[in-house]
Amino acid sequence: MDSLAAAPGTGPATSPIPVLRPARARKSFADLPKNRTLVMGILNVTPDSFSDGGRFATADDAIAEGLRMHYAGADIIDVGGESTRPHADVISEEEEQRRILPVVEGLVKAGALVSVDTMHATTAAKAIEAGAAIINDVSGLDFDPAMPDLVAQHKVHYILMHQRGNPQTMDSLAEYGDVVEEVLAELTGVRDKFLASGVAPEQIIIDPGIGFAKKEEHNWELLRSLGRFADLGHRVLVGASRKRFLGTLLTTAGKAAPPQERADASLAVSTLAAAHGAWCVRVHDVGPNLDAVKVAAAWAG
């Protein structure tokens, strides 16, 4: 997998990579645009993710899809090997690494800036060796105790997301008196542990955890309060693409909209998040969301 960059628009995402391009210079964090909200493309190398599970279950299919997003303008590709939907099956760290490491290597060689969606420090360490520049950790309050030292040592960027419990228990823990204040307090507590381990403030990116241990009304309240999260002094990422609360909003004849019918609502969230200062939106549909954040930037002048 020395030159894995495929030309865009040369076939469906699940086709073998049809055209090879020379390996590109690796994109760095410093190369990211400063004048608009960033777009992070979601790449799940899983059989059971809620929206696209099983679509990119092999390394070749996943690399081809990652390259499609990369050439469509994604600023970051977020590669995940373990589903974090409610009640998802737990897999071993070895299986997670088997799924994602070839994909990370291939995308980095093609010039993409890669984030790895993992809760495990051992997987994060191997992903960093493979070229990942960002660790996207959805573990929330129950983070791997080895993670702060790893992030401090390698000086990678770290997405700290709010979650209570784990995918098996989080729905039962979605009880809040004041969801904004409690999520802020819990995120601050975890953030301070990373800072105490030597992680620099500029390495940390805050994610309110839309859909993780949250009921529908909690998600909307958090989205209305993005500025409060920016007040923590870190960049803010919003990950709402195709999530369940949007399906509930779009209920028709008593039936919630399935994930594939939530794209337009997801686009609206990205537009509003960008208009309210989000540093990055994490999305399934790169092209339309890139257009949306560009419009928001132009509107803001």
Side-chain angles (χ1 to χ4, degrees):
M1 296 183 183
D2 291 329
S3 297
L4 293 164
T10 53
T14 54
S15 299
I17 301 171
V19 178
L20 299 182
R21 292 179 174 176
R24 290 186 168 190
R26 178 179 169 186
K27 185 192 292 185
S28 73
F29 208 85
D31 297 325
L32 293 171
K34 307 294 192 298
N35 61 345
R36 62 165 172 80
T37 296
L38 303 179
V39 173
M40 173 185 284
I42 299 169
L43 182 57
N44 290 318
V45 194
T46 61
D48 57 345
S49 291
F50 79 94
S51 179
D52 54 3
R55 288 189 63 203
F56 316 115
T58 71
D60 283 348
D61 286 346
I63 291 169
E65 174 64 8
L67 293 175
R68 186 191 67 78
M69 290 192 288
H70 177 52
Y71 289 116
D75 300 297
I76 305 163
I77 308 297
D78 190 45
V79 181
E82 181 176 13
S83 175
T84 53
R85 63 173 175 79
H87 311 295
D89 293 334
V90 176
I91 64 170
S92 69
E93 294 175 37
E94 292 77 14
E95 174 61 17
E96 179 186 39
Q97 293 160 24
R98 184 194 68 78
R99 292 176 181 179
I100 69 169
L101 293 179
V103 180
V104 173
E105 291 173 358
L107 294 177
V108 168
K109 287 179 181 178
L113 184 67
V114 175
S115 167
V116 167
D117 182 350
T118 183
M119 297 181 281
H120 308 294
T122 55
T123 298
K126 292 187 177 182
I128 292 167
E129 290 177 9
I134 306 168
I135 302 303
N136 181 15
D137 186 355
V138 305
S139 59
L141 309 184
D142 297 325
F143 62 90
D144 186 326
M147 194 70 85
D149 287 342
L150 177 75
V151 174
Q153 176 187 348
H154 291 279
K155 303 188 185 305
V156 293
H157 295 268
Y158 179 78
I159 299 171
L160 167 57
M161 193 197 80
H162 181 271
Q163 180 182 193
R164 290 175 174 175
N166 55 47
Q168 289 72 42
T169 63
M170 62 182 178
D171 279 353
S172 66
L173 300 174
E175 299 294 336
Y176 301 90
D178 184 323
V179 65
V180 174
E181 294 300 330
E182 291 178 48
V183 169
L184 280 167
E186 291 171 7
L187 277 172
T188 300
V190 177
R191 185 273 313 267
D192 289 349
K193 293 178 182 178
F194 277 78
L195 294 178
S197 294
V199 177
E202 59 269 21
Q203 289 177 253
I204 295 175
I205 299 157
I206 295 293
D207 179 347
I210 301 300
F212 287 81
K214 314 291 190 307
K215 295 177 181 177
E216 281 76 11
E217 62 270 22
H218 299 145
N219 295 316
W220 293 116
E221 189 63 30
L222 292 169
L223 288 170
R224 293 185 199 106
S225 304
L226 287 183
R228 297 288 308 282
F229 292 91
D231 289 343
L232 293 177
H234 308 281
R235 291 159 294 195
V236 176
L237 179 144
V238 174
S241 183
R242 301 186 188 177
K243 287 192 174 175
R244 181 172 53 183
F245 78 111
L246 296 176
T248 301
L249 176 71
L250 303 177
T251 294
T252 302
K255 184 177 181 180
Q260 290 72 21
E261 295 178 12
R262 304 171 191 169
D264 291 344
S266 300
L267 188 63
V269 172
S270 290
T271 308
L272 291 167
H276 285 81
W279 170 76
C280 183
V281 290
R282 182 178 180 271
V283 301
H284 294 86
D285 306 294
V286 167
N289 282 276
L290 182 58
D291 290 347
V293 300
K294 288 180 177 179
V295 167
W299 192 301

